[in-house]
Amino acid sequence: MSVTAAQGFEASGVAVGLKSTGKPDVAVVVNRGPLKVGAAVFTSNRAKANPIIWSQQAVQDGVVEAIVLNSGGANCFTGSFGFQTTHQTAEKAAALLGVSAGDILICSTGLIGTGDGVFRAKVLEGVEQGIAALATDGGEAASLAIMTTDSKPKRSIVTTDGWTIGGMAKGAGMLAPGLATMLVVITTDAMLDAAAADEHLRHATRVSFDRLDSDGCMSTNDQVTLMASGASGITPTPQAFREALTAVCIDLSEQLQSDAEGASHDIRIVVENAASEQDAVEVGRSVARNNLFKAAIFGNDPNWGRVLAAIGTTDAEFDPYDVDVWMNGVRVCTQGGPDRPREDVDLTPRATRLVIDLKTGTAGAIILTNDLTHDYVHENSAYSS
Amino acid sequence: MSVTAAQGFEASGVAVGLKSTGKPDVAVVVNRGPLKVGAAVFTSNRAKANPIIWSQQAVQDGVVEAIVLNSGGANCFTGSFGFQTTHQTAEKAAALLGVSAGDILICSTGLIGTGDGVFRAKVLEGVEQGIAALATDGGEAASLAIMTTDSKPKRSIVTTDGWTIGGMAKGAGMLAPGLATMLVVITTDAMLDAAAADEHLRHATRVSFDRLDSDGCMSTNDQVTLMASGASGITPTPQAFREALTAVCIDLSEQLQSDAEGASHDIRIVVENAASEQDAVEVGRSVARNNLFKAAIFGNDPNWGRVLAAIGTTDAEFDPYDVDVWMNGVRVCTQGGPDRPREDVDLTPRATRLVIDLKTGTAGAIILTNDLTHDYVHENSAYSS
């Protein structure tokens, strides 16, 4: 059910030929209220696609009536024609729904540079078909329509004390801090005002999507949107809502990680005893972005030297000669020297756990990444995306 | 001849079993004077190997009598025993040469964590054999002994107006800003004082080795050393010396690039019309480190969208919607939109030229990198290094 698990929402997914495969490629999610609260976070890339530029403006008043998403074209670096396409998409959805275009968010994903007249015509057709197909059980169809190279749809639902949060995500690689080629829509029927929605969403993404770094590459089109209908009539405590929202975001992040293009290991980098959370994140990311370490994990090689070489490039507070490193439960390095033999580490399972003990404080962070594989290279070199 | 092309130097390369292949693995380069000037630059990684820690101290007085280099073990993260090994190596070389241990530099390369008693015994044996084998034509042997995964030795010589600069380098991947798994020794018979040697070396490495970024990974063992004997009796102008030294460093950098592990394209990223040199370097590096771009080049795909997505992550001064991008002479993107068709770009040659016009100033920089290939993944996953 994903985005229609919560009361007050309708959704759809339709096929209009943006994907050469003929699979669904336009999704619409509409909030029927009574509240029309919306919040969103966006890619931090300065090279922003047209739908990002539009949505950043549209969400500012905290009111979101609907969101239109398409796969099969990023509408990025497509000039003023591309921006007009986004504008027309919002206008058309607004007219059909009887609302203001400024309350419609737009998301696109696919190849950068795709956004010509054919693309525009198909997207506008998708808006018409998508709004005609809206249904209270349309969440599944919507989650299929936003897929690109994803091997499966990603959905998550938390229901508690009479209110629900449901979400869908697309992304399979190109995931990086600041969010990357990731489209996420989360809905809730909890009572929530716009300021709280924004604050909770920023917290939840900071500790979930923002700590997923599959290949260090940041996209131009990422957007995570939260919409609240208030249809349950229930106002959760801020803490309860934040915990549930964070759980949904972490669940979707882990689904994105495990579907990363070409990966054979899901690597959980746990940084412990850091002087600050920021230090822990910096150290974790330096390892997540180190191609040598990632290739070693692909080869089932517990190469802790590459871990220390990676963290040595950071400014975090620690002594490189007093760091401990565990791989899958085996301490392979202690205090700047080898500890237990490499042969003791079994890296054959897909789930890989790297623990880095910095010994300088009490903060920590978890970064999720993947290994660097032949299939990753193949999937990112054999066709344009 | 590499390091023995200049007068006043002797060198050798011997095999003592550090490499399982039985190939030469210890090199010695000795300065016979009359000057004993030395300067060196080191990895900026905080995780520094024992030879780096030693050499950083030893070079401070600007006097260098000799340098001992070994392959087959990095002597990094090998604890105080490893540091004692480096110390003993310098003491032994000093005793045999009749000089001070504080004027001996040490370099090691190979697997991190390698530096046990067997390693120590072999290195000390290598010092003895290497000093016994010193010869005025030993430069070639020395350049072979420092190779690890290199497919060929790297040497460069410039002779002009009666004085000579000669150098050798090892490295084949793991090359990154701040220098990475790169050992370079450069000798000259020009008259030069220590302050000038240091200044010229820093300039030359800044625009050569420091702009070579094969895979974004920074090593723990990098060192570039310049030794001057003054044996020619000639004092070049500072400008003439700097130009010749820079030429040798750029030549060696390009040899390192073209021997990068598993690469199928040598990519020259030319950033033009930047507001500052720093901006140009930042923009060039962001592309050099983007796995998606590098995989696309491997697939001969002129994916300029990935270039713009990469530079959008930087803080450099430019408008993402007013940047032009050329690939192998074809302008594929202009002012934030597609320009000439992708089909016009021929990416089949190994030499690849990417030009990024930022249109904000008059500064520029060239960054050298490689593509991301199946062979890169294979070579960095199939064995420890």
Side-chain angles (χ1 to χ4, degrees), chain A residues 173-262:
Chain A
M174 301 204 270
L175 311 170
L179 313 173
T181 305
M182 183 188 321
L183 299 184
V184 180
V185 179
I186 298 168
T187 57
T188 183
D189 49 25
M191 302 283 288
L192 201 65
D193 65 28
D198 184 72
E199 192 188 329
H200 292 315
L201 184 64
R202 285 180 195 284
H203 170 83
T205 54
R206 185 173 64 79
V207 298
S208 57
F209 301 115
D210 203 32
R211 294 194 181 166
L212 172 62
D213 193 340
S214 180
D215 69 1
C217 297
M218 189 189 293
S219 166
T220 51
N221 285 63
D222 313 307
Q223 183 170 334
V224 179
T225 303
L226 171 65
M227 299 162 76
S229 70
S232 71
I234 297 171
T235 305
T237 66
Q239 190 187 341
F241 186 81
R242 179 170 292 196
E243 280 177 10
L245 181 64
T246 303
V248 166
C249 289
I250 287 176
D251 183 17
L252 290 172
S253 296
E254 291 178 353
Q255 292 182 50
L256 291 166
Q257 178 193 29
S258 67
D259 199 23
E261 285 172 346

Side-chain angles (χ1 to χ4, degrees), chain A residues 46 48 306 316 318 321 385, chain B residues 46 48 306 316 318 321 385:
Chain A
R46 291 167 58 195
K48 294 184 203 306
R306 293 180 180 176
F318 64 88
Y321 300 95
S385 65
Chain B
R46 290 167 59 193
K48 294 184 203 305
R306 294 180 179 177
F318 64 89
Y321 301 96
S385 65

Side-chain angles (χ1 to χ4, degrees), chain B residues 142-228:
Chain B
S143 70
L144 292 170
I146 60 173
M147 290 167 63
T148 56
T149 52
D150 306 60
S151 72
K152 54 188 134 184
K154 286 92 185 167
R155 310 178 193 116
S156 184
I157 299 170
V158 170
T159 298
T160 177
D161 297 330
W163 53 275
T164 292
I165 300 178
M168 65 179 184
K170 92 106 215 161
M174 300 204 272
L175 311 170
L179 313 174
T181 307
M182 183 188 323
L183 299 184
V184 180
V185 180
I186 298 168
T187 58
T188 182
D189 50 23
M191 302 283 287
L192 201 65
D193 66 28
D198 185 72
E199 192 189 328
H200 291 315
L201 184 63
R202 286 180 194 285
H203 169 85
T205 54
R206 185 174 64 79
V207 298
S208 57
F209 301 116
D210 203 30
R211 295 193 181 167
L212 173 62
D213 192 340
S214 180
D215 69 0
C217 297
M218 189 189 292
S219 166
T220 52
N221 284 63
D222 313 307
Q223 183 170 335
V224 179
T225 303
L226 171 66
M227 300 162 75

Side-chain angles (χ1 to χ4, degrees), chain B residues 249-377:
Chain B
C249 289
I250 288 176
D251 182 17
L252 290 172
S253 296
E254 292 179 352
Q255 292 182 50
L256 291 166
Q257 177 192 30
S258 67
D259 200 24
E261 284 171 346
S264 71
H265 288 80
D266 298 333
I267 308 171
R268 178 177 289 261
I269 302 170
V270 182
V271 182
E272 294 180 342
N273 299 318
S276 67
E277 184 179 322
Q278 188 182 333
D279 273 10
V281 170
E282 185 187 1
V283 163
R285 278 190 185 149
S286 74
V287 178
R289 292 181 169 185
N290 188 278
N291 280 351
L292 292 170
F293 166 74
K294 289 153 74 92
I297 296 298
F298 169 54
N300 297 331
D301 171 17
N303 196 318
W304 56 267
R306 294 180 179 177
V307 174
L308 292 179
I311 71 177
T313 65
T314 71
D315 294 323
E317 188 181 321
F318 64 89
D319 175 356
Y321 301 96
D322 190 23
V323 168
D324 291 355
V325 177
W326 278 259
M327 288 193 191
N328 284 356
V330 177
R331 195 174 70 180
V332 284
C333 166
T334 186
Q335 296 183 323
D339 192 15
R340 287 180 51 196
R342 290 162 182 256
E343 294 72 41
D344 288 4
V345 182
D346 178 11
L347 285 172
T348 54
R350 183 177 177 100
T352 308
R353 184 178 172 88
L354 172 70
V355 178
I356 301 167
D357 183 348
L358 295 181
K359 304 186 188 180
T360 48
T362 57
I366 293 173
I367 300 287
L368 305 179
T369 191
N370 297 100
D371 54 351
L372 179 60
T373 69
H374 291 296
D375 285 351
Y376 175 88
V377 175

